[in-house]
Amino acid sequence: GAVVSQHPSWVICKSGTSVKIECRSLDFQATTMFWYRQFPKQSLMLMATSNEGSKATYEQGVEKDKFLINHASLTLSTLTVTSAHPEDSSFYICSARGQGSIGYTFGSGTRLTVV
Amino acid sequence: LAKTTQPISMDSYEGQEVNITCSHNNIATNDYITWYQQFPSQGPRFIIQGYKTKVTNEVASLFIPADRKSSTLSLPRVSLSDTAVYYCLVGALSGGYQKVTFGTGTKLQVIP
């Protein structure tokens, strides 16, 4: 079935630095990928929709200049958390759906801790 | 996007059948119903999807009444490893990719 690979699985960074998270569709092409954020004991919150070759669409309240999304190819989308702060510490998850697949496939998630 | 409502949590003993119901009163004609399972610190995993009546696969069954305003995920003979959060999502599959938004989910705790 469709597989979405997400890296890194966890990262610790210092406040003020930037962190890049990669999401790859391994066996299918994904013109659209989604990025979510999940705080402890809460549901997934959609941050943005990543479109290959065009600008991402951000949900209300999500700062596009802070969460930079690049979807340069049909198999790769990246989320860069710029100037990270402790409040950005969260679990970030990407998802995509392959042609003909039932449902969406999610990455394994990235645990970001900003210290 | 149709909003979904699920119980926040449920407890069940091992070996029992568990039924988790989701309400989606404003489901659209072309919306499908999909259930996902999420373990701590992992991405959600697809369980089952349906449009109407009953769907069954190797891990679960999905019951959808005629009015489609609710659906029930049935997990037969749960084990401790079924302890997870279960999400019900409603959305269309046709017409390109539709963004998927999550409700609160149901935290299932399986007790020995």
Side-chain angles (χ1 to χ4, degrees), chain A residues 12-19 66 81-85 88 114-115:
Chain A
I12 301 173
C13 71
K14 290 185 177 181
S15 195
T17 62
S18 296
V19 173
K66 180 170 186 61
V81 182
T82 63
S83 186
H85 291 285
D88 298 323
V114 184
V115 297

Side-chain angles (χ1 to χ4, degrees), chain A residues 97-113:
Chain A
R97 184 166 69 89
Q99 289 269 355
S101 294
I102 297 177
Y104 288 79
T105 301
F106 289 81
S108 54
T110 298
R111 173 75 58 194
L112 170 63
T113 303

Side-chain angles (χ1 to χ4, degrees), chain A:
Chain A
V3 176
V4 172
S5 176
Q6 185 173 345
H7 293 281
S9 56
W10 61 269
V11 58
I12 301 173
C13 71
K14 290 185 177 181
S15 195
T17 62
S18 296
V19 173
K20 180 185 285 188
I21 302 170
E22 290 190 350
C23 185
R24 293 181 184 272
S25 56
L26 294 186
D27 49 2
F28 66 99
Q29 294 182 333
T31 55
T32 303
M33 290 187 178
F34 304 96
W35 287 95
Y36 296 83
R37 179 168 54 182
Q38 186 175 34
F39 292 108
K41 300 187 184 303
Q42 294 186 24
S43 183
L44 284 76
M45 183 189 78
L46 181 65
M47 299 175 65
T49 302
S50 169
N51 302 298
E52 187 268 336
S54 64
K55 291 183 179 180
T57 303
Y58 291 82
E59 295 299 301
Q60 189 174 7
V62 178
E63 301 175 59
K64 61 180 181 181
D65 294 331
K66 180 170 186 61
F67 299 99
L68 301 180
I69 291 174
N70 184 283
H71 195 153
S73 76
L74 288 172
T75 59
L76 174 64
S77 176
T78 61
L79 168 68
T80 301
V81 182
T82 63
S83 186
H85 291 285
E87 57 265 31
D88 298 323
S89 297
S90 188
F91 191 56
Y92 293 86
I93 310 169
C94 64
S95 78
R97 184 166 69 89
Q99 289 269 355
S101 294
I102 297 177
Y104 288 79
T105 301
F106 289 81
S108 54
T110 298
R111 173 75 58 194
L112 170 63
T113 303
V114 184
V115 297

Side-chain angles (χ1 to χ4, degrees), chain B residues 44-74:
Chain B
R45 184 176 71 100
F46 172 87
I47 301 175
I48 197 167
Q49 184 179 77
Y51 184 81
K52 62 180 179 181
T53 62
K54 176 183 175 182
V55 179
T56 298
N57 62 22
E58 62 275 11
V59 297
S61 294
L62 178 59
F63 299 92
I64 305 169
D67 65 5
R68 303 199 329 121
K69 294 184 183 298
S70 67
S71 60
T72 299
L73 173 71
S74 181

Side-chain angles (χ1 to χ4, degrees), chain B residues 58-100:
Chain B
E58 62 275 11
V59 297
S61 294
L62 178 59
F63 299 92
I64 305 169
D67 65 5
R68 303 199 329 121
K69 294 184 183 298
S70 67
S71 60
T72 299
L73 173 71
S74 181
L75 304 173
R77 298 179 298 281
V78 295
S79 63
L80 295 177
S81 62
D82 292 317
T83 294
V85 178
Y86 293 82
Y87 293 98
C88 159
L89 280 74
V90 174
L93 293 182
S94 61
Y97 297 101
Q98 182 187 60
K99 64 182 183 181
V100 177

